[in-house]
Amino acid sequence: DAGVTQSPTHLIKTRGQQVTLRCSPKSGHDTVSWYQQALGQGPQFIFQYYEEEERQRGNFPDRFSGHQFPNYSSELNVNALLLGDSALYLCASSLTTYEQYFGPGTRLTVT
Amino acid sequence: DQQVKQNSPSLSVQEGRISILNCDYTNSMFDYFLWYKKYPAEGPTFLISISSIKDKNEDGRFTVFLNKSAKHLSLHIVPSQPGDSAVYFCAARSYNNNDMRFGAGTRLTVKP
Protein backbone atom coordinates (compact mmCIF):
# COMPACT_ATOMS: atom_id res chain seq x y z
CA ASP A 1 0.00 0.00 0.00
CA ALA A 2 1.72 3.16 -1.22
CA GLY A 3 1.80 5.95 1.29
CA VAL A 4 1.81 9.65 0.58
CA THR A 5 4.29 10.56 -2.13
CA GLN A 6 5.67 13.99 -2.98
CA SER A 7 7.73 15.36 -5.84
CA PRO A 8 10.29 16.65 -6.31
CA THR A 9 12.43 15.77 -3.29
CA HIS A 10 14.55 18.89 -3.51
CA LEU A 11 14.20 22.12 -5.44
CA ILE A 12 16.31 25.26 -5.78
CA LYS A 13 14.69 28.43 -7.09
CA THR A 14 15.60 32.10 -7.38
CA ARG A 15 13.74 34.95 -5.71
CA GLY A 16 10.75 36.06 -7.75
CA GLN A 17 10.29 32.73 -9.51
CA GLN A 18 7.29 30.46 -9.22
CA VAL A 19 7.26 26.84 -8.04
CA THR A 20 4.84 23.90 -8.18
CA LEU A 21 5.02 21.01 -5.73
CA ARG A 22 3.06 17.78 -6.16
CA CYS A 23 1.46 15.30 -3.82
CA SER A 24 -0.26 11.94 -4.26
CA PRO A 25 -2.33 10.92 -1.25
CA LYS A 26 -2.41 7.55 0.42
CA SER A 27 -4.72 5.12 -1.38
CA GLY A 28 -8.34 5.73 -0.38
CA HIS A 29 -7.72 9.16 1.12
CA ASP A 30 -9.74 12.06 -0.25
CA THR A 31 -8.40 15.00 1.76
CA VAL A 32 -5.03 16.68 1.28
CA SER A 33 -3.41 19.24 3.55
CA TRP A 34 -0.23 21.20 2.95
CA TYR A 35 2.19 22.38 5.63
CA GLN A 36 5.32 24.51 5.66
CA GLN A 37 8.06 23.50 8.09
CA ALA A 38 10.81 26.04 8.62
CA LEU A 39 14.10 24.94 10.15
CA GLY A 40 13.77 24.23 13.86
CA GLN A 41 10.01 24.68 13.89
CA GLY A 42 6.96 22.50 13.68
CA PRO A 43 4.83 22.22 10.55
CA GLN A 44 2.53 25.18 9.90
CA PHE A 45 -0.82 24.66 8.17
CA ILE A 46 -1.12 26.26 4.73
CA PHE A 47 -4.46 24.92 3.46
CA GLN A 48 -6.59 21.83 3.03
CA TYR A 49 -8.33 20.50 -0.08
CA TYR A 50 -11.38 18.29 -0.20
CA GLU A 51 -13.56 17.47 -3.20
CA GLU A 52 -11.33 19.70 -5.35
CA GLU A 53 -12.11 22.75 -3.24
CA GLU A 54 -10.01 24.65 -0.72
CA ARG A 55 -11.80 23.81 2.52
CA GLN A 56 -9.70 25.82 4.93
CA ARG A 57 -6.71 28.11 4.79
CA GLY A 58 -4.08 29.00 7.34
CA ASN A 59 -2.32 32.32 7.75
CA PHE A 60 -0.48 32.36 4.43
CA PRO A 61 -0.57 35.05 1.70
CA ASP A 62 -2.34 34.63 -1.63
CA ARG A 63 1.03 33.85 -3.24
CA PHE A 64 0.36 30.35 -1.96
CA SER A 65 -2.31 28.58 -3.97
CA GLY A 66 -3.30 25.02 -4.59
CA HIS A 67 -5.32 22.61 -6.57
CA GLN A 68 -6.82 19.17 -6.10
CA PHE A 69 -7.51 16.88 -9.02
CA PRO A 70 -10.35 14.34 -9.43
CA ASN A 71 -7.96 11.52 -8.45
CA TYR A 72 -7.36 13.42 -5.14
CA SER A 73 -3.76 14.31 -5.96
CA SER A 74 -2.81 17.89 -5.25
CA GLU A 75 -0.46 20.70 -6.19
CA LEU A 76 0.92 23.57 -4.17
CA ASN A 77 1.94 26.67 -6.13
CA VAL A 78 3.99 29.51 -4.74
CA ASN A 79 4.41 32.70 -6.77
CA ALA A 80 6.96 35.51 -6.41
CA LEU A 81 9.22 33.44 -4.20
CA LEU A 82 10.90 35.09 -1.24
CA LEU A 83 13.99 33.96 0.65
CA GLY A 84 11.69 33.27 3.61
CA ASP A 85 9.80 30.66 1.61
CA SER A 86 12.78 28.32 1.97
CA ALA A 87 11.43 25.39 3.98
CA LEU A 88 10.33 21.79 3.94
CA TYR A 89 6.86 21.52 2.40
CA LEU A 90 4.84 18.61 3.70
CA CYS A 91 1.73 17.10 2.24
CA ALA A 92 -0.62 15.08 4.43
CA SER A 93 -3.61 13.01 3.41
CA SER A 94 -6.52 11.75 5.45
CA LEU A 95 -9.88 10.04 5.22
CA THR A 96 -11.16 11.08 8.61
CA THR A 97 -10.52 14.62 9.65
CA TYR A 98 -8.25 13.79 12.54
CA GLU A 99 -5.43 11.40 11.64
CA GLN A 100 -3.24 12.64 8.86
CA TYR A 101 -0.53 10.70 7.06
CA PHE A 102 2.45 12.74 5.93
CA GLY A 103 4.67 12.42 2.90
CA PRO A 104 8.47 12.81 3.07
CA GLY A 105 8.29 16.44 1.99
CA THR A 106 9.87 18.66 -0.63
CA ARG A 107 12.85 20.73 0.45
CA LEU A 108 12.61 24.15 -1.26
CA THR A 109 15.61 26.46 -1.23
CA VAL A 110 15.18 30.03 -2.51
CA THR A 111 18.38 31.88 -3.38
CA ASP B 1 0.90 33.04 17.91
CA GLN B 2 2.37 29.82 19.14
CA GLN B 3 -0.57 27.96 20.61
CA VAL B 4 1.31 24.70 21.13
CA LYS B 5 4.66 24.72 22.87
CA GLN B 6 7.29 22.10 23.45
CA ASN B 7 9.75 23.79 25.77
CA SER B 8 12.44 21.12 25.69
CA PRO B 9 14.30 21.09 22.37
CA SER B 10 16.08 17.88 23.30
CA LEU B 11 15.98 14.95 25.71
CA SER B 12 18.49 12.18 26.27
CA VAL B 13 17.66 8.95 28.13
CA GLN B 14 19.24 5.58 28.67
CA GLU B 15 17.86 2.52 26.91
CA GLY B 16 15.26 0.76 29.06
CA ARG B 17 14.37 3.87 31.07
CA ILE B 18 11.28 6.04 30.71
CA SER B 19 11.16 8.97 28.29
CA ILE B 20 8.75 11.78 29.13
CA LEU B 21 8.06 14.42 26.51
CA ASN B 22 5.98 17.44 27.47
CA CYS B 23 3.69 19.80 25.61
CA ASP B 24 1.68 22.85 26.67
CA TYR B 25 -1.13 24.58 24.82
CA THR B 26 -2.97 27.84 25.23
CA ASN B 27 -6.15 27.45 23.17
CA SER B 28 -8.95 26.02 25.31
CA MET B 29 -10.89 25.17 22.12
CA PHE B 30 -8.48 22.37 21.27
CA ASP B 31 -10.23 19.05 21.74
CA TYR B 32 -7.95 16.55 20.05
CA PHE B 33 -4.24 16.06 20.57
CA LEU B 34 -1.73 14.01 18.64
CA TRP B 35 1.90 13.00 18.82
CA TYR B 36 3.97 12.50 15.71
CA LYS B 37 7.45 11.04 15.37
CA LYS B 38 9.82 12.20 12.65
CA TYR B 39 12.99 10.55 11.41
CA PRO B 40 15.43 12.46 9.18
CA ALA B 41 14.40 12.62 5.51
CA GLU B 42 10.93 11.28 6.33
CA GLY B 43 7.61 12.94 6.99
CA PRO B 44 6.07 12.91 10.48
CA THR B 45 4.51 9.57 11.41
CA PHE B 46 1.37 9.43 13.55
CA LEU B 47 2.12 7.85 16.93
CA ILE B 48 -0.78 8.25 19.33
CA SER B 49 -3.68 10.59 20.00
CA ILE B 50 -6.09 11.55 22.74
CA SER B 51 -9.48 13.20 22.81
CA SER B 52 -10.25 15.89 25.36
CA ILE B 53 -12.88 13.66 26.94
CA LYS B 54 -10.11 11.33 28.14
CA ASP B 55 -7.12 11.90 30.38
CA LYS B 56 -5.06 8.90 29.31
CA ASN B 57 -4.55 6.76 26.23
CA GLU B 58 -2.19 3.81 25.91
CA ASP B 59 -0.77 2.00 22.93
CA GLY B 60 1.92 -0.52 23.74
CA ARG B 61 4.97 1.27 25.08
CA PHE B 62 3.42 4.69 24.45
CA THR B 63 1.05 6.49 26.81
CA VAL B 64 -0.30 10.00 26.43
CA PHE B 65 -1.63 11.91 29.44
CA LEU B 66 -3.84 14.97 29.17
CA ASN B 67 -4.34 17.52 31.96
CA LYS B 68 -7.00 19.89 30.66
CA SER B 69 -6.97 22.21 33.65
CA ALA B 70 -3.24 22.76 33.22
CA LYS B 71 -3.47 22.69 29.41
CA HIS B 72 -0.66 20.18 29.42
CA LEU B 73 -0.06 16.84 27.83
CA SER B 74 2.81 14.41 28.00
CA LEU B 75 4.01 11.37 26.12
CA HIS B 76 5.58 8.53 28.10
CA ILE B 77 7.67 5.88 26.38
CA VAL B 78 8.43 2.82 28.49
CA PRO B 79 10.85 1.18 28.05
CA SER B 80 12.76 3.48 25.72
CA GLN B 81 14.62 1.86 22.84
CA PRO B 82 17.40 3.22 20.59
CA GLY B 83 14.98 3.04 17.65
CA ASP B 84 12.82 5.62 19.41
CA SER B 85 15.48 8.25 18.75
CA ALA B 86 13.71 10.84 16.61
CA VAL B 87 12.05 14.25 16.76
CA TYR B 88 8.65 14.16 18.45
CA PHE B 89 5.98 16.73 17.61
CA CYS B 90 2.94 17.49 19.68
CA ALA B 91 -0.10 18.70 17.69
CA ALA B 92 -3.57 19.94 18.56
CA ARG B 93 -6.77 20.86 16.80
CA SER B 94 -10.35 21.76 17.57
CA TYR B 95 -13.58 20.28 16.29
CA ASN B 96 -14.47 21.42 12.78
CA ASN B 97 -11.17 23.26 12.44
CA ASN B 98 -8.70 21.62 10.09
CA ASP B 99 -5.85 23.94 11.08
CA MET B 100 -3.76 21.55 13.15
CA ARG B 101 -1.19 23.35 15.28
CA PHE B 102 2.20 21.82 15.96
CA GLY B 103 4.84 22.42 18.58
CA ALA B 104 8.45 22.99 17.57
CA GLY B 105 9.42 19.42 18.43
CA THR B 106 11.64 17.64 20.94
CA ARG B 107 14.62 15.62 19.77
CA LEU B 108 14.77 12.39 21.75
CA THR B 109 18.03 10.44 21.91
CA VAL B 110 17.96 6.99 23.49
CA LYS B 111 21.45 5.79 24.35
CA PRO B 112 22.23 2.06 24.26
Side-chain angles (χ1 to χ4, degrees), chain A residues 44-62:
Chain A
Q44 189 172 355
F45 178 75
I46 302 175
F47 42 54
Q48 184 179 87
Y49 275 83
Y50 172 71
E51 292 188 341
E52 303 180 50
E53 296 285 335
E54 182 182 290
R55 179 154 69 177
Q56 187 168 348
R57 187 178 187 90
N59 189 25
F60 277 81
D62 292 344

Side-chain angles (χ1 to χ4, degrees), chain A residues 6-37:
Chain A
Q6 292 186 242
S7 63
T9 305
H10 295 90
L11 204 52
I12 300 175
K13 290 286 189 178
T14 305
R15 271 182 303 177
Q17 286 188 317
Q18 177 264 345
V19 68
T20 297
L21 310 181
R22 295 177 175 83
C23 171
S24 291
K26 183 177 170 62
S27 177
H29 286 185
D30 58 4
T31 302
V32 173
S33 303
W34 286 92
Y35 292 83
Q36 179 193 67
Q37 185 180 7

Side-chain angles (χ1 to χ4, degrees), chain B residues 12 16 19 35 42 56 62 66-67 73 80 82-83 92:
Chain B
S12 181
S19 295
W35 284 93
E42 295 183 12
K56 177 182 175 181
F62 303 91
L66 175 61
N67 182 333
L73 66 156
S80 301

